[in-house]
């Protein structure tokens, strides 16, 4: 499935991009007056291969949940059972992601790819468990390469299913206590950064725990023999298996699945940023189908976005995860594309253009 998906991904269409830019300039507004929204519309046109691009709705949020063996190193004060408790909260509709999704008219799907518990069947829950949490990455690989591929394919399958059911925009979400530690390790490797630059305070930790968290990330990179920015897909898979989480791998697959279907993918925060680095290492063209929903307060997210060359739409100092920032950005994507569909051109409206 992974090979088939990678083979289906196409880069942005330069003709559609050129047509979209030219069309933006003919609309009844000063050129460039909508700023980043114009660039988003052009980006979506290139991804879809048509101008104007399809409206990115309905949208679907997928929250990928998994636990992490590195939690045992004391990198967060939150107990591991919070992961399964928050999954129940998502399914009951009581989380911030649910509130934001309701506001934006976005469906919510929760995907168990690695929660360290058996979850009961429930509406809105998709079970694609690869394992009961990863191993402690500071003592060896978090997962096998085979598990990493299976998690990637789980994300691809979820993307395919949501698109087949009518979704025209995908939004990444995540849940997993200690997953910012794994994110920092992935970003350090894929973006070639020092762990101290890309490790943040996650859900909120004191200075002593933060210093310990940085040391744990260093331990993980040293133990697994990882350093520097990676290039080849085989290296990317090994690094993902060494220090990633099941949800990181699944989100990377989700991104690849959306790109293969030419459906835009809105990236959430630092976990999605780390996953996008993996997806881009497997196929750089996948990035042409991604939009950075927001900039997380986590320093690693800024580093990931810089390496990916993505400009975030929202910067509200969020550090929640769940897909919250991506959900806030979705109406902006819709507005950007709506302009291309509904705003009159100077010729059609009989409005005189500014002299050149």
């Amino acid at each position: 499935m992974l090979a088939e998906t990678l083979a289906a991904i196409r880069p942005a269409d330069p003709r559609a991009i050129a047509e979209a830019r030219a069309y933006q300039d003919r609309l009844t507004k000063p050129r460039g007056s909508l700023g980043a929204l114009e660039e988003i519309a052009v980006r979506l046109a290139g991804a879809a291969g048509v101008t104007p691009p399809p409206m990115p709705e309905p949208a679907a949020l997928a929250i990928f949940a998994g636990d992490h063996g590195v939690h045992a190193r004391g990198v967060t004060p939150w107990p591991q059972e919070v992961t399964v408790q928050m999954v129940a909260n998502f399914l009951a509709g009581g989380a911030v992601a649910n509130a934001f999704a309701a506001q934006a008219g976005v469906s919510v799907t929760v995907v168990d790819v690695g929660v360290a518990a058996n979850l009961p069947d429930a509406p809105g829950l998709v079970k694609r468990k690869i394992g009961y949490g990863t191993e402690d990455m500071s003592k060896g690989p978090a997962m096998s390469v085979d598990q990493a591929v299976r998690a990637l394919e789980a994300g691809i399958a979820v993307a395919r299913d949501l698109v087949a059911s009518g979704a025209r925009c995908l939004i990444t979400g995540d849940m997993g206590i200690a997953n910012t530690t794994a994110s920092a390790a992935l970003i350090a490797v894929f973006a070639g950064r020092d762990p101290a630059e890309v490790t943040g305070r996650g859900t909120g930790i004191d200075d002593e725990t933060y210093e310990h968290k940085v040391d744990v990330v260093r331990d993980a990179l040293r133990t697994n023999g990882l350093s520097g920015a990676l290039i080849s897909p085989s290296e990317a898979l090994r690094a993902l298996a060494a220090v990633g989480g099941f949800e990181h791998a699944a989100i990377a697959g989700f991104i690849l699945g959306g790109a293969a279907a030419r459906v835009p993918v809105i990236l959430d925060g630092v976990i999605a940023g780390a996953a996008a680095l993996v997806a881009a290492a497997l196929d750089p063209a996948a990035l042409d189908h991604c939009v950075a929903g927001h900039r997380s307060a986590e320093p690693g997210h800024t580093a990931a976005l810089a390496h990916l060359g993505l400009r975030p739409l929202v910067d509200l100092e969020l550090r929640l995860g769940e897909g919250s920032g991506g959900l806030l950005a979705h109406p902006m994507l819709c507005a950007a594309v709506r302009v291309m569909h509904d705003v009159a051109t100077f010729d059609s409206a009989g409005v005189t253009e500014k002299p050149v």
Side-chain angles (χ1 to χ4, degrees), residues 10-211:
R10 296 291 179 269
D13 185 336
R15 176 192 54 78
I17 289 175
E19 289 178 355
R21 290 196 191 284
Y23 191 68
Q24 284 278 359
D25 289 345
R26 295 201 304 274
L27 300 178
T28 49
K29 60 178 179 56
R31 292 184 180 184
S33 58
L34 290 180
L37 292 183
E38 294 189 19
E39 289 304 310
I40 290 297
V42 170
R43 184 178 188 84
L44 295 188
V50 62
T51 299
M55 286 296 299
E57 55 185 1
L61 168 68
I63 302 175
F64 294 90
D67 280 306
H68 297 261
V70 76
H71 179 274
R73 291 293 307 274
V75 293
T76 173
W78 291 84
Q80 192 170 67
E81 55 264 30
V82 169
T83 300
V84 69
Q85 291 166 355
M86 280 302 300
V87 167
N89 194 26
F90 294 135
L91 295 172
V96 171
N98 299 105
F100 285 179
Q103 176 69 25
V106 175
S107 67
V108 178
T109 300
V110 182
V111 187
D112 173 13
V113 284
V115 178
N118 287 314
L119 304 179
D121 293 341
L125 175 64
V126 174
K127 295 182 180 181
R128 293 190 177 272
K129 193 188 294 289
I130 307 301
Y132 291 86
T134 57
E135 300 297 324
D136 182 353
M137 68 178 186
S138 69
K139 296 181 179 179
M143 61 184 115
S144 68
V145 172
D146 177 68
Q147 286 179 313
V149 171
R150 287 167 54 205
L152 281 161
E153 293 186 336
I156 291 170
V158 171
R160 286 183 176 181
D161 289 347
L162 290 174
V163 171
S165 67
R168 292 300 173 261
C169 180
L170 302 177
I171 304 174
T172 71
D174 66 89
M175 182 63 221
I177 298 301
N179 64 7
T180 61
T181 304
S183 296
L186 286 170
I187 294 167
V189 174
F190 282 85
R193 298 292 193 101
D194 185 271
E197 293 181 78
V198 297
T199 304
R201 295 179 182 267
T203 50
I205 54 178
D206 58 24
D207 291 345
E208 182 179 355
T209 306
Y210 169 73
E211 294 298 332

Side-chain angles (χ1 to χ4, degrees), residues 205-221:
I205 54 178
D206 58 24
D207 291 345
E208 182 179 355
T209 306
Y210 169 73
E211 294 298 332
H212 173 64
K213 184 177 179 180
V214 173
D215 288 342
V216 170
V217 173
R218 291 192 192 282
D219 287 347
L221 300 185

Side-chain angles (χ1 to χ4, degrees), residues 47 240 259 287:
L240 171 62
L287 280 185

